[in-house]
Amino acid sequence: MDRRTFILAGTALATAACSGPAGLAYWDLFSGGDGSRMMDMVGAIGTRLDAVTLAWGTPYYTKLAMAAAGGRAPDLAILHLSRLPGFAPMGLLDPFDDDLLAAHGLTQDRFPPAVWNRARSDGRTYAVPLDTHPLVLFYNTELCGKAGLLENGRLRPIRGPEQLLAAFDKAGLALAAARDVNPWRLFWTLYRQQNGQGLLDDAKALTALRLLGKIGATTRFTDNNAAVALFGSGQAGFFWNGEWELPTFQTQHTPFDVAPFPQVYDRPAVHADSHAFVLPHQRSRDPQLTAQTISAVAELIGQSLTWARGGHIPAYQPVAASQAYLKLLPQANYRSAAAEVELDPPVWFAGAASDLQSAAGATIGAVLGGTKSPEVALGELKATLVRLRNTPKPA
């Protein structure tokens, strides 16, 4: 737990201790702007939540899994949907009551199919999606305008590898490829755009890796902070990353807009994940508290417009289709991506902050950096998958 997270957790606990009966225990992993917006949402609802923010990534998921394995977990928690295959089948989550969800308007038809389907396991609902957060293409409107890449003020559609490389060559690309999982996200997008199935189709994986090698040759090999700085200061016309970087460029007054990830191959698809509310396993779950928890989930989902200001696309369609969201720009300009999302493969060792993302990200990042050939990288990716498949599942 870092210092800031410790302070947040301590503040929440102190507040709970000093202001009357305890509320529902709620864990999340949001810091920075997302953390502030989540606290605004928690403060705006009628149900009291005693929120504790833990460090993002492996520390969070380790602590959540250990608490659930012991049956002494909080009432409510946030989980990346991509991590659900590593939690629900292992008994680390309790299923939602579909009738109670429906009583609060939380039904399948009000969420994008791509995320609702991943919220279920073995015929039961284990998560309620708050958002989708896909890769997007940020573009500097001044630089891209000078390069002749705009039409009526918006980026012209980019189709196919040649148009993509030409656009990056004209306006410049800032790309996080060093010490980052972004290369895995890019690879999975291009692989699934070819309708690549399973882990892995050699020919389609190699096609994706070869294109990434060419893209890497058009940009500087850098980490995320440097890539954000390059785009934010107007030194690159494009920035390829998640929409969560949007508030940074708004704060810096960068002249920019955002487009969905271009369709380079046969079908639209983009790597994404979804923050979702889950019920971590409790040994003796109290029915009354569980009903209150589901009510709180519905209230938080109803606050999705606040969440969307940070760049995330609301999963709850009554909010995503509202005039208030459609007027929220540039967020609404890439809302179509919600229908094209591709989460990590549904295996227990994949998902946010997983061994697969970090190991594959390092291998693919070396292709982007020009220090490893696509052919060698393919062999390493397959070896990584074999190693992870042969690793015993956590008990």
Side-chain angles (χ1 to χ4, degrees), residues 1-13:
M1 182 182 294
D2 61 20
R3 182 174 180 275
R4 182 180 185 283
T5 303
F6 178 80
I7 292 172
L8 285 171
T11 300
L13 291 171

Side-chain angles (χ1 to χ4, degrees), residues 260-278:
F261 196 100
Q263 181 182 337
V264 179
Y265 293 118
D266 306 328
R267 58 188 286 270
V270 60
H271 184 276
D273 213 320
S274 169
H275 299 118
F277 296 105
V278 296

Side-chain angles (χ1 to χ4, degrees), residues 75-316:
D75 300 295
L76 180 67
I78 284 288
L79 185 92
H80 287 87
L81 270 187
S82 62
R83 295 296 296 254
L84 196 116
F87 273 73
M90 282 70 164
L92 299 177
L93 301 179
D94 292 332
F96 282 94
D97 182 318
D98 285 335
D99 290 336
L100 274 179
L101 289 178
H104 290 283
L106 303 175
T107 51
Q108 178 178 353
D109 59 313
R110 295 185 174 187
F111 294 86
V115 291
W116 187 263
N117 292 338
R118 291 292 295 265
R120 293 175 61 81
S121 177
D122 197 24
R124 307 291 300 273
T125 304
Y126 282 91
V128 179
L130 171 63
D131 65 31
T132 56
H133 45 279
L135 288 182
V136 293
L137 184 60
F138 293 88
Y139 60 97
N140 183 303
T141 50
E142 291 182 359
L143 294 179
C144 287
K146 292 177 182 176
L149 297 172
L150 303 187
E151 185 175 284
N152 298 322
R154 302 291 311 281
L155 186 67
R156 288 178 177 164
I158 295 173
R159 293 288 183 270
E162 290 75 20
Q163 287 189 17
L164 185 73
L165 291 168
F168 289 165
D169 185 57
K170 286 181 178 178
L173 170 67
L175 181 64
R179 301 183 297 278
D180 199 276
V181 299
N182 201 36
W184 161 256
R185 297 173 179 140
L186 296 169
F187 168 80
W188 191 244
T189 295
L190 298 173
Y191 181 72
R192 292 295 295 144
Q193 286 198 355
Q194 300 171 77
N195 204 27
Q197 303 291 322
L199 293 170
L200 285 169
D201 178 310
D202 284 12
K204 293 175 179 176
L206 197 54
T207 296
L209 289 167
R210 285 172 174 162
L211 177 57
L212 289 174
K214 293 177 181 177
I215 290 171
T218 72
T219 185
R220 277 177 274 182
F221 190 61
T222 183
D223 62 20
N224 189 60
N225 289 339
V228 168
L230 285 170
F231 183 80
S233 60
Q235 298 182 62
F238 291 102
F239 177 60
W240 224 358
N241 208 326
E243 34 73 353
W244 50 85
E245 299 289 359
L246 184 148
T248 300
F249 303 133
Q250 288 180 318
T251 301
Q252 295 177 348
H253 303 292
T254 305
F256 79 101
D257 203 341
V258 189
F261 196 100
Q263 181 182 337
V264 179
Y265 293 118
D266 306 328
R267 58 188 286 270
V270 60
H271 184 276
D273 213 320
S274 169
H275 299 118
F277 296 105
V278 296
L279 304 176
H281 175 62
Q282 293 182 341
R283 187 177 299 117
S284 300
R285 181 167 283 283
D286 181 283
Q288 186 175 356
L289 288 179
T290 300
Q292 292 176 16
T293 304
I294 293 176
S295 178
V297 170
E299 291 180 280
L300 291 168
I301 291 288
Q303 296 289 319
S304 295
L305 188 62
T306 297
W307 193 240
R309 294 192 175 98
H312 309 314
I313 303 174
Y316 190 54

